[in-house]
Amino acid sequence: MKSCKHIILFLAMALCLLGCGVPKYATMSGTPSLSKYKYVYITPTSERTSVTGGTYGNQYGVFGSTSSKSINPADVISGAFIKQGFVRLPEIDEDKKPQTIVVNYGESGRKSYGLAYSIEITIQLLDASTYEVICTTSAEGMGETESDDVRKAILKCLDAIF
C-alpha cells in the first residue's frame, strides 16, 4: 500500500515537471505597426508530414493502424494574415511594395522535455520596399506530432503579432 502511494506521487510529480517546461507565450522583438500595410508576401515553405501508428495483438491476430498529418507553414501563416484583412501576393509587385510585408518562416531549434520535445519556430516580418525588420517573433509548440508542434508554435507567434 505504501509503495502504491509512492508510485502515484512519483507519477504526479513527473507529469507536473513534463508540463512546466514549454513557454506559453511567444517572445517578440520590435512592436509591429501594421496599419500602413495592405499586402503580404509569404516566402515559400515545404510541407511537413508526420505519421503515427501502432500495432497490437491478441489470440485472434495482429492489428494496427497509422494516421498522418501534414502542414505547410506558409498556408497557416497565410490564413492568419487573410483573416486580418491582408491580401496575399504570389510575388512582390513593384507598385505595391510600400504597402507590402514580407514574411519569413524558419525552424530555429528543438528542445527536449523528458520523454517529449518541442519545436521552436521564428517568424520575421520585413518591409518590402526597404527590407527593414518590422518585428521578429519566436515560439515553441508541443503536440502529438511534429505537424502539431509546428502549427501550435506558428499560432503562438501570430497571436503575438496581431
Side-chain angles (χ1 to χ4, degrees):
M1 187 68 171
K2 201 174 199 182
S3 64
C4 234
K5 288 181 183 177
H6 286 125
I7 291 172
I8 291 171
L9 180 63
F10 175 76
L11 289 175
M13 288 173 45
L15 287 174
C16 287
L17 289 174
L18 284 176
C20 293
V22 178
K24 294 182 180 181
Y25 302 104
T27 58
M28 182 172 342
S29 65
T31 53
S33 175
L34 306 179
S35 58
K36 76 173 195 172
Y37 301 102
K38 183 178 177 181
Y39 305 101
V40 63
Y41 172 76
I42 302 167
T43 55
T45 60
S46 59
E47 187 173 278
R48 177 187 287 267
T49 302
S50 303
V51 179
T52 59
T55 59
Y56 64 94
N58 58 22
Q59 67 269 26
Y60 302 111
V62 177
F63 306 94
S65 66
T66 61
S67 67
S68 64
K69 293 181 181 179
S70 297
I71 183 173
N72 188 334
D75 291 341
V76 177
I77 295 168
S78 173
F81 273 91
I82 291 170
K83 190 175 181 179
Q84 294 294 322
F86 287 86
V87 176
R88 182 177 180 183
L89 300 176
E91 58 187 33
I92 298 175
D93 187 0
E94 288 297 322
D95 298 338
K96 297 175 181 158
K97 256 188 175 183
Q99 294 179 306
T100 303
I101 297 172
V102 176
V103 180
N104 292 323
Y105 163 86
E107 292 182 19
S108 45
R110 226 179 245 249
K111 290 185 182 175
S112 181
Y113 294 100
L115 299 175
Y117 65 91
S118 69
I119 295 177
E120 181 183 47
I121 64 108
T122 301
I123 294 177
Q124 180 184 60
L125 304 183
L126 304 172
D127 184 297
S129 54
T130 63
Y131 290 106
E132 290 182 17
V133 176
I134 299 169
C135 74
T136 302
T137 180
S138 295
E140 292 179 17
M142 184 184 286
E144 294 176 8
T145 63
E146 286 186 356
S147 298
D148 292 336
D149 296 349
V150 170
R151 182 182 314 279
K152 287 182 178 189
I154 290 171
L155 294 176
K156 286 180 186 179
C157 285
L158 294 172
D159 283 345
I161 291 170
F162 299 120

Short mmCIF file of all heavy atoms in Angstrom, two decimals, residues 48-106:
data_model
loop_
_atom_site.label_atom_id
_atom_site.label_comp_id
_atom_site.label_asym_id
_atom_site.label_seq_id
_atom_site.Cartn_x
_atom_site.Cartn_y
_atom_site.Cartn_z
N ARG A 48 5.40 19.60 -44.25
CA ARG A 48 5.90 18.65 -43.26
C ARG A 48 4.80 17.63 -43.00
O ARG A 48 3.67 17.99 -42.73
CB ARG A 48 6.26 19.37 -41.98
CG ARG A 48 6.73 18.42 -40.88
CD ARG A 48 6.91 19.15 -39.58
NE ARG A 48 8.08 19.99 -39.59
CZ ARG A 48 9.28 19.61 -39.17
NH1 ARG A 48 9.45 18.38 -38.72
NH2 ARG A 48 10.29 20.44 -39.19
N THR A 49 5.15 16.35 -43.08
CA THR A 49 4.19 15.28 -42.85
C THR A 49 4.67 14.44 -41.67
O THR A 49 5.84 14.08 -41.60
CB THR A 49 4.04 14.38 -44.09
OG1 THR A 49 3.63 15.19 -45.19
CG2 THR A 49 3.03 13.29 -43.87
N SER A 50 3.76 14.16 -40.75
CA SER A 50 4.05 13.32 -39.59
C SER A 50 3.15 12.10 -39.64
O SER A 50 1.96 12.22 -39.93
CB SER A 50 3.79 14.08 -38.30
OG SER A 50 4.55 15.26 -38.24
N VAL A 51 3.72 10.95 -39.35
CA VAL A 51 2.96 9.71 -39.35
C VAL A 51 3.08 9.07 -37.97
O VAL A 51 4.17 8.98 -37.42
CB VAL A 51 3.49 8.73 -40.42
CG1 VAL A 51 2.71 7.43 -40.40
CG2 VAL A 51 3.43 9.36 -41.80
N THR A 52 1.95 8.66 -37.42
CA THR A 52 1.93 7.93 -36.15
C THR A 52 1.20 6.62 -36.38
O THR A 52 0.32 6.53 -37.23
CB THR A 52 1.24 8.72 -35.04
OG1 THR A 52 -0.11 9.01 -35.44
CG2 THR A 52 1.96 10.01 -34.74
N GLY A 53 1.55 5.64 -35.62
CA GLY A 53 0.88 4.36 -35.77
C GLY A 53 1.17 3.44 -34.61
O GLY A 53 2.00 3.73 -33.75
N GLY A 54 0.46 2.36 -34.59
CA GLY A 54 0.65 1.39 -33.53
C GLY A 54 0.10 0.04 -33.94
O GLY A 54 -0.73 -0.07 -34.84
N THR A 55 0.59 -0.98 -33.28
CA THR A 55 0.09 -2.33 -33.52
C THR A 55 -0.22 -2.97 -32.18
O THR A 55 0.36 -2.62 -31.15
CB THR A 55 1.13 -3.19 -34.26
OG1 THR A 55 2.31 -3.26 -33.48
CG2 THR A 55 1.43 -2.65 -35.63
N TYR A 56 -1.13 -3.86 -32.21
CA TYR A 56 -1.43 -4.66 -31.02
C TYR A 56 -1.88 -6.03 -31.48
O TYR A 56 -2.30 -6.22 -32.61
CB TYR A 56 -2.48 -3.98 -30.14
CG TYR A 56 -3.84 -3.84 -30.79
CD1 TYR A 56 -4.82 -4.81 -30.60
CD2 TYR A 56 -4.13 -2.75 -31.60
CE1 TYR A 56 -6.06 -4.68 -31.20
CE2 TYR A 56 -5.36 -2.62 -32.21
CZ TYR A 56 -6.33 -3.59 -32.01
OH TYR A 56 -7.55 -3.48 -32.60
N GLY A 57 -1.77 -6.96 -30.60
CA GLY A 57 -2.15 -8.30 -30.97
C GLY A 57 -2.84 -9.02 -29.83
O GLY A 57 -2.68 -8.65 -28.67
N ASN A 58 -3.60 -10.01 -30.20
CA ASN A 58 -4.24 -10.89 -29.23
C ASN A 58 -4.32 -12.29 -29.84
O ASN A 58 -3.70 -12.55 -30.87
CB ASN A 58 -5.61 -10.34 -28.80
CG ASN A 58 -6.56 -10.15 -29.97
OD1 ASN A 58 -6.41 -10.79 -31.02
ND2 ASN A 58 -7.55 -9.30 -29.80
N GLN A 59 -5.09 -13.16 -29.24
CA GLN A 59 -5.14 -14.53 -29.73
C GLN A 59 -5.78 -14.64 -31.10
O GLN A 59 -5.66 -15.67 -31.77
CB GLN A 59 -5.87 -15.44 -28.72
CG GLN A 59 -7.33 -15.16 -28.54
CD GLN A 59 -7.61 -14.18 -27.41
OE1 GLN A 59 -6.78 -13.35 -27.07
NE2 GLN A 59 -8.80 -14.27 -26.84
N TYR A 60 -6.44 -13.59 -31.58
CA TYR A 60 -7.11 -13.63 -32.89
C TYR A 60 -6.27 -13.03 -34.02
O TYR A 60 -6.68 -13.03 -35.16
CB TYR A 60 -8.45 -12.91 -32.80
CG TYR A 60 -9.36 -13.51 -31.76
CD1 TYR A 60 -9.66 -12.80 -30.61
CD2 TYR A 60 -9.88 -14.80 -31.91
CE1 TYR A 60 -10.48 -13.35 -29.64
CE2 TYR A 60 -10.69 -15.35 -30.94
CZ TYR A 60 -10.99 -14.63 -29.80
OH TYR A 60 -11.79 -15.18 -28.84
N GLY A 61 -5.14 -12.44 -33.69
CA GLY A 61 -4.30 -11.88 -34.74
C GLY A 61 -3.62 -10.60 -34.32
O GLY A 61 -3.74 -10.14 -33.18
N VAL A 62 -2.90 -10.02 -35.27
CA VAL A 62 -2.19 -8.77 -35.04
C VAL A 62 -2.91 -7.68 -35.81
O VAL A 62 -3.24 -7.85 -36.99
CB VAL A 62 -0.71 -8.87 -35.50
CG1 VAL A 62 -0.01 -7.56 -35.33
CG2 VAL A 62 0.00 -9.97 -34.72
N PHE A 63 -3.15 -6.55 -35.16
CA PHE A 63 -3.88 -5.45 -35.77
C PHE A 63 -3.05 -4.18 -35.66
O PHE A 63 -2.23 -4.04 -34.76
CB PHE A 63 -5.23 -5.24 -35.06
CG PHE A 63 -6.07 -6.48 -35.01
CD1 PHE A 63 -6.03 -7.31 -33.90
CD2 PHE A 63 -6.86 -6.82 -36.08
CE1 PHE A 63 -6.79 -8.45 -33.84
CE2 PHE A 63 -7.63 -7.97 -36.04
CZ PHE A 63 -7.60 -8.79 -34.92
N GLY A 64 -3.27 -3.25 -36.56
CA GLY A 64 -2.54 -1.99 -36.49
C GLY A 64 -3.22 -0.91 -37.29
O GLY A 64 -4.12 -1.16 -38.08
N SER A 65 -2.76 0.29 -37.05
CA SER A 65 -3.29 1.41 -37.81
C SER A 65 -2.25 2.53 -37.82
O SER A 65 -1.36 2.58 -36.97
CB SER A 65 -4.59 1.93 -37.19
OG SER A 65 -4.32 2.48 -35.92
N THR A 66 -2.35 3.37 -38.81
CA THR A 66 -1.49 4.55 -38.90
C THR A 66 -2.35 5.75 -39.25
O THR A 66 -3.42 5.62 -39.84
CB THR A 66 -0.39 4.39 -39.98
OG1 THR A 66 -1.02 4.22 -41.24
CG2 THR A 66 0.53 3.23 -39.68
N SER A 67 -1.86 6.90 -38.89
CA SER A 67 -2.51 8.14 -39.32
C SER A 67 -1.43 9.15 -39.64
O SER A 67 -0.34 9.12 -39.05
CB SER A 67 -3.45 8.68 -38.24
OG SER A 67 -2.72 9.11 -37.13
N SER A 68 -1.71 10.01 -40.58
CA SER A 68 -0.72 11.02 -40.96
C SER A 68 -1.35 12.41 -40.92
O SER A 68 -2.55 12.57 -41.14
CB SER A 68 -0.15 10.74 -42.35
OG SER A 68 -1.15 10.84 -43.32
N LYS A 69 -0.52 13.38 -40.59
CA LYS A 69 -0.92 14.78 -40.58
C LYS A 69 0.11 15.56 -41.37
O LYS A 69 1.30 15.29 -41.27
CB LYS A 69 -0.98 15.33 -39.15
CG LYS A 69 -2.05 14.71 -38.29
CD LYS A 69 -2.03 15.35 -36.91
CE LYS A 69 -3.09 14.75 -36.03
NZ LYS A 69 -3.07 15.35 -34.68
N SER A 70 -0.35 16.51 -42.15
CA SER A 70 0.54 17.35 -42.95
C SER A 70 0.28 18.81 -42.64
O SER A 70 -0.85 19.19 -42.30
CB SER A 70 0.33 17.12 -44.44
OG SER A 70 0.64 15.80 -44.77
N ILE A 71 1.32 19.61 -42.78
CA ILE A 71 1.18 21.04 -42.59
C ILE A 71 2.16 21.74 -43.52
O ILE A 71 3.28 21.29 -43.72
CB ILE A 71 1.44 21.45 -41.13
CG1 ILE A 71 1.21 22.94 -40.94
CG2 ILE A 71 2.81 21.07 -40.68
CD1 ILE A 71 1.26 23.41 -39.50
N ASN A 72 1.70 22.81 -44.13
CA ASN A 72 2.57 23.71 -44.86
C ASN A 72 2.54 25.03 -44.09
O ASN A 72 1.51 25.69 -44.05
CB ASN A 72 2.10 23.92 -46.30
CG ASN A 72 3.10 24.69 -47.11
OD1 ASN A 72 3.88 25.48 -46.58
ND2 ASN A 72 3.08 24.49 -48.41
N PRO A 73 3.64 25.41 -43.44
CA PRO A 73 3.64 26.61 -42.60
C PRO A 73 3.17 27.86 -43.33
O PRO A 73 2.47 28.70 -42.75
CB PRO A 73 5.10 26.74 -42.17
CG PRO A 73 5.61 25.34 -42.20
CD PRO A 73 4.92 24.69 -43.37
N ALA A 74 3.49 28.00 -44.61
CA ALA A 74 3.07 29.19 -45.36
C ALA A 74 1.55 29.28 -45.44
O ALA A 74 0.99 30.38 -45.40
CB ALA A 74 3.67 29.18 -46.77
N ASP A 75 0.86 28.14 -45.52
CA ASP A 75 -0.60 28.15 -45.58
C ASP A 75 -1.21 28.60 -44.26
O ASP A 75 -2.20 29.33 -44.24
CB ASP A 75 -1.13 26.76 -45.94
CG ASP A 75 -0.80 26.36 -47.37
OD1 ASP A 75 -0.50 27.27 -48.18
OD2 ASP A 75 -0.85 25.16 -47.67
N VAL A 76 -0.64 28.16 -43.14
CA VAL A 76 -1.15 28.57 -41.83
C VAL A 76 -0.94 30.07 -41.64
O VAL A 76 -1.85 30.80 -41.20
CB VAL A 76 -0.46 27.77 -40.70
CG1 VAL A 76 -0.92 28.25 -39.33
CG2 VAL A 76 -0.72 26.29 -40.86
N ILE A 77 0.25 30.56 -41.99
CA ILE A 77 0.55 31.99 -41.87
C ILE A 77 -0.35 32.79 -42.79
O ILE A 77 -0.90 33.82 -42.41
CB ILE A 77 2.05 32.24 -42.18
CG1 ILE A 77 2.93 31.56 -41.12
CG2 ILE A 77 2.35 33.73 -42.26
CD1 ILE A 77 4.39 31.50 -41.48
N SER A 78 -0.53 32.31 -44.01
CA SER A 78 -1.39 32.98 -44.98
C SER A 78 -2.82 33.12 -44.46
O SER A 78 -3.44 34.19 -44.55
CB SER A 78 -1.39 32.20 -46.29
OG SER A 78 -2.32 32.73 -47.19
N GLY A 79 -3.34 32.06 -43.90
CA GLY A 79 -4.70 32.10 -43.36
C GLY A 79 -4.88 33.15 -42.29
O GLY A 79 -5.89 33.86 -42.25
N ALA A 80 -3.88 33.29 -41.42
CA ALA A 80 -3.97 34.29 -40.35
C ALA A 80 -3.94 35.71 -40.92
O ALA A 80 -4.69 36.58 -40.48
CB ALA A 80 -2.83 34.09 -39.36
N PHE A 81 -3.07 35.95 -41.91
CA PHE A 81 -2.99 37.30 -42.50
C PHE A 81 -4.25 37.63 -43.30
O PHE A 81 -4.74 38.75 -43.25
CB PHE A 81 -1.73 37.44 -43.36
CG PHE A 81 -0.52 37.86 -42.58
CD1 PHE A 81 0.33 36.92 -42.03
CD2 PHE A 81 -0.24 39.20 -42.37
CE1 PHE A 81 1.43 37.30 -41.29
CE2 PHE A 81 0.86 39.60 -41.64
CZ PHE A 81 1.70 38.64 -41.09
N ILE A 82 -4.78 36.67 -44.02
CA ILE A 82 -6.01 36.89 -44.78
C ILE A 82 -7.16 37.19 -43.82
O ILE A 82 -7.99 38.07 -44.08
CB ILE A 82 -6.31 35.68 -45.69
CG1 ILE A 82 -5.28 35.60 -46.81
CG2 ILE A 82 -7.73 35.75 -46.25
CD1 ILE A 82 -5.33 34.32 -47.63
N LYS A 83 -7.20 36.48 -42.72
CA LYS A 83 -8.24 36.71 -41.72
C LYS A 83 -8.17 38.12 -41.15
O LYS A 83 -9.18 38.70 -40.78
CB LYS A 83 -8.09 35.68 -40.60
CG LYS A 83 -9.22 35.64 -39.62
CD LYS A 83 -9.01 34.49 -38.64
CE LYS A 83 -10.15 34.40 -37.66
NZ LYS A 83 -9.95 33.28 -36.72
N GLN A 84 -6.97 38.70 -41.11
CA GLN A 84 -6.79 40.06 -40.60
C GLN A 84 -7.04 41.11 -41.68
O GLN A 84 -6.89 42.31 -41.43
CB GLN A 84 -5.37 40.24 -40.05
CG GLN A 84 -5.10 39.41 -38.82
CD GLN A 84 -5.93 39.83 -37.64
OE1 GLN A 84 -6.18 41.01 -37.42
NE2 GLN A 84 -6.38 38.86 -36.87
N GLY A 85 -7.38 40.69 -42.90
CA GLY A 85 -7.72 41.63 -43.96
C GLY A 85 -6.62 41.91 -44.97
O GLY A 85 -6.78 42.77 -45.84
N PHE A 86 -5.50 41.22 -44.88
CA PHE A 86 -4.41 41.40 -45.83
C PHE A 86 -4.71 40.64 -47.12
O PHE A 86 -5.44 39.66 -47.11
CB PHE A 86 -3.09 40.91 -45.24
CG PHE A 86 -2.53 41.79 -44.18
CD1 PHE A 86 -2.92 41.65 -42.86
CD2 PHE A 86 -1.60 42.77 -44.49
CE1 PHE A 86 -2.41 42.46 -41.86
CE2 PHE A 86 -1.08 43.60 -43.51
CZ PHE A 86 -1.49 43.43 -42.19
N VAL A 87 -4.09 41.08 -48.21
CA VAL A 87 -4.19 40.41 -49.50
C VAL A 87 -2.85 39.72 -49.74
O VAL A 87 -1.80 40.37 -49.73
CB VAL A 87 -4.49 41.41 -50.63
CG1 VAL A 87 -4.49 40.71 -51.98
CG2 VAL A 87 -5.80 42.12 -50.38
N ARG A 88 -2.89 38.41 -49.98
CA ARG A 88 -1.65 37.67 -50.22
C ARG A 88 -1.26 37.80 -51.68
O ARG A 88 -2.05 37.53 -52.58
CB ARG A 88 -1.83 36.20 -49.86
CG ARG A 88 -0.54 35.42 -50.04
CD ARG A 88 -0.65 34.00 -49.63
NE ARG A 88 0.64 33.33 -49.86
CZ ARG A 88 0.85 32.07 -49.64
NH1 ARG A 88 -0.12 31.30 -49.19
NH2 ARG A 88 2.04 31.54 -49.88
N LEU A 89 -0.02 38.19 -51.90
CA LEU A 89 0.51 38.34 -53.26
C LEU A 89 1.36 37.12 -53.62
O LEU A 89 2.16 36.67 -52.81
CB LEU A 89 1.37 39.60 -53.36
CG LEU A 89 0.70 40.93 -53.06
CD1 LEU A 89 1.72 42.06 -53.11
CD2 LEU A 89 -0.43 41.20 -54.04
N PRO A 90 1.23 36.61 -54.85
CA PRO A 90 2.06 35.48 -55.27
C PRO A 90 3.52 35.88 -55.54
O PRO A 90 4.41 35.05 -55.53
CB PRO A 90 1.39 34.98 -56.55
CG PRO A 90 0.59 36.13 -57.04
CD PRO A 90 0.23 36.96 -55.85
N GLU A 91 3.73 37.17 -55.79
CA GLU A 91 5.08 37.72 -55.96
C GLU A 91 5.04 39.19 -55.57
O GLU A 91 3.98 39.80 -55.53
CB GLU A 91 5.58 37.55 -57.39
CG GLU A 91 4.69 38.20 -58.42
CD GLU A 91 5.13 37.87 -59.84
OE1 GLU A 91 5.63 36.76 -60.08
OE2 GLU A 91 4.96 38.75 -60.70
N ILE A 92 6.21 39.74 -55.30
CA ILE A 92 6.27 41.14 -54.87
C ILE A 92 6.10 42.03 -56.09
O ILE A 92 6.87 41.96 -57.04
CB ILE A 92 7.59 41.44 -54.14
CG1 ILE A 92 7.68 40.58 -52.88
CG2 ILE A 92 7.68 42.91 -53.78
CD1 ILE A 92 8.97 40.70 -52.13
N ASP A 93 5.08 42.87 -56.05
CA ASP A 93 4.76 43.79 -57.14
C ASP A 93 5.40 45.14 -56.84
O ASP A 93 5.27 45.67 -55.75
CB ASP A 93 3.23 43.93 -57.22
CG ASP A 93 2.77 44.72 -58.43
OD1 ASP A 93 3.63 45.18 -59.21
OD2 ASP A 93 1.55 44.87 -58.58
N GLU A 94 6.11 45.70 -57.82
CA GLU A 94 6.82 46.97 -57.64
C GLU A 94 5.87 48.11 -57.22
O GLU A 94 6.23 48.96 -56.42
CB GLU A 94 7.57 47.36 -58.92
CG GLU A 94 8.79 46.52 -59.20
CD GLU A 94 9.87 46.66 -58.13
OE1 GLU A 94 10.08 47.78 -57.61
OE2 GLU A 94 10.51 45.64 -57.81
N ASP A 95 4.67 48.12 -57.80
CA ASP A 95 3.72 49.19 -57.47
C ASP A 95 3.21 49.10 -56.04
O ASP A 95 2.86 50.12 -55.44
CB ASP A 95 2.52 49.15 -58.43
CG ASP A 95 2.93 49.38 -59.88
OD1 ASP A 95 4.02 49.96 -60.10
OD2 ASP A 95 2.17 48.96 -60.77
N LYS A 96 3.16 47.91 -55.50
CA LYS A 96 2.58 47.69 -54.17
C LYS A 96 3.62 47.52 -53.07
O LYS A 96 3.27 47.27 -51.92
CB LYS A 96 1.67 46.46 -54.22
CG LYS A 96 0.50 46.65 -55.16
CD LYS A 96 -0.30 45.39 -55.30
CE LYS A 96 -1.44 45.65 -56.28
NZ LYS A 96 -1.96 44.47 -56.88
N LYS A 97 4.89 47.68 -53.41
CA LYS A 97 5.97 47.47 -52.44
C LYS A 97 5.82 48.29 -51.16
O LYS A 97 6.03 47.77 -50.08
CB LYS A 97 7.33 47.76 -53.08
CG LYS A 97 8.10 46.54 -53.43
CD LYS A 97 9.50 46.91 -53.87
CE LYS A 97 10.32 45.68 -54.10
NZ LYS A 97 11.69 45.99 -54.46
N PRO A 98 5.47 49.58 -51.23
CA PRO A 98 5.38 50.36 -49.99
C PRO A 98 4.31 49.86 -49.02
O PRO A 98 4.37 50.14 -47.83
CB PRO A 98 5.06 51.77 -50.46
CG PRO A 98 5.48 51.82 -51.88
CD PRO A 98 5.31 50.43 -52.40
N GLN A 99 3.34 49.10 -49.52
CA GLN A 99 2.26 48.60 -48.67
C GLN A 99 2.35 47.09 -48.45
O GLN A 99 1.38 46.47 -48.03
CB GLN A 99 0.90 48.90 -49.31
CG GLN A 99 0.57 50.37 -49.41
CD GLN A 99 -0.78 50.56 -50.08
OE1 GLN A 99 -1.00 50.06 -51.18
NE2 GLN A 99 -1.67 51.25 -49.39
N THR A 100 3.53 46.51 -48.71
CA THR A 100 3.67 45.05 -48.65
C THR A 100 4.62 44.64 -47.52
O THR A 100 5.66 45.24 -47.31
CB THR A 100 4.20 44.50 -49.98
OG1 THR A 100 3.31 44.90 -51.03
CG2 THR A 100 4.31 42.99 -49.97
N ILE A 101 4.21 43.56 -46.83
CA ILE A 101 5.03 42.93 -45.80
C ILE A 101 5.57 41.62 -46.39
O ILE A 101 4.84 40.88 -47.03
CB ILE A 101 4.20 42.60 -44.56
CG1 ILE A 101 3.65 43.85 -43.92
CG2 ILE A 101 5.00 41.79 -43.56
CD1 ILE A 101 2.67 43.56 -42.81
N VAL A 102 6.85 41.35 -46.14
CA VAL A 102 7.44 40.06 -46.50
C VAL A 102 7.53 39.24 -45.21
O VAL A 102 8.03 39.72 -44.19
CB VAL A 102 8.85 40.23 -47.11
CG1 VAL A 102 9.49 38.88 -47.39
CG2 VAL A 102 8.79 41.07 -48.37
N VAL A 103 7.02 38.02 -45.27
CA VAL A 103 7.03 37.14 -44.09
C VAL A 103 8.00 36.00 -44.33
O VAL A 103 7.86 35.27 -45.31
CB VAL A 103 5.62 36.59 -43.79
CG1 VAL A 103 5.66 35.68 -42.57
CG2 VAL A 103 4.62 37.71 -43.59
N ASN A 104 8.97 35.86 -43.44
CA ASN A 104 9.92 34.74 -43.48
C ASN A 104 9.62 33.80 -42.33
O ASN A 104 9.31 34.23 -41.22
CB ASN A 104 11.36 35.25 -43.35
CG ASN A 104 11.79 36.04 -44.55
OD1 ASN A 104 11.43 35.73 -45.67
ND2 ASN A 104 12.55 37.09 -44.32
N TYR A 105 9.73 32.51 -42.60
CA TYR A 105 9.49 31.46 -41.61
C TYR A 105 10.72 30.59 -41.49
O TYR A 105 11.36 30.28 -42.49
CB TYR A 105 8.29 30.60 -42.03
CG TYR A 105 8.19 29.28 -41.30
CD1 TYR A 105 7.55 29.19 -40.09
CD2 TYR A 105 8.78 28.14 -41.83
CE1 TYR A 105 7.47 27.98 -39.41
CE2 TYR A 105 8.71 26.93 -41.16
CZ TYR A 105 8.06 26.86 -39.95
OH TYR A 105 7.99 25.67 -39.28
N GLY A 106 11.05 30.20 -40.28
CA GLY A 106 12.16 29.27 -40.08
C GLY A 106 12.01 28.48 -38.81
O GLY A 106 11.42 28.96 -37.84
#
